[in-house]
Amino acid sequence: MVTDADFTVNVPLGPLALRDADTVIVPAAVEDHGPQQQGRLRPLAEAALAEEPATARLASSCTGSTTEGC
């Protein structure tokens, strides 16, 4: 997956690999800095995160490269 933060996230196993995840890291994206519409994730993100176990840690990354916040 290419990000807008000048680095690539390699996801060789796809979203089903989240079923076995201990930690899930969600990268920041410039287009997502605004308020989410109706409090919903995009369908692909929602489907992927639905695969993570309830015991998994969820973290987000932010490069801090914008003044809009993370």
Side-chain angles (χ1 to χ4, degrees):
M1 161 178 20
V2 177
T3 70
D4 53 10
D6 295 328
F7 59 86
T8 300
V9 177
N10 187 12
V11 187
L13 301 177
L16 294 182
L18 291 173
R19 291 178 178 172
D20 299 321
D22 294 319
T23 303
V24 176
I25 300 175
V26 180
V30 171
E31 70 264 7
D32 289 339
H33 282 294
Q36 297 295 315
Q37 298 296 319
Q38 301 175 355
R40 301 293 305 232
L41 293 170
R42 292 182 181 168
L44 184 57
E46 185 175 18
L49 291 174
E51 296 296 337
E52 79 175 86
T55 57
R57 294 173 295 237
L58 186 60
S60 65
S61 66
C62 176
T63 62
S65 61
T66 67
T67 59
E68 297 174 16
C70 296

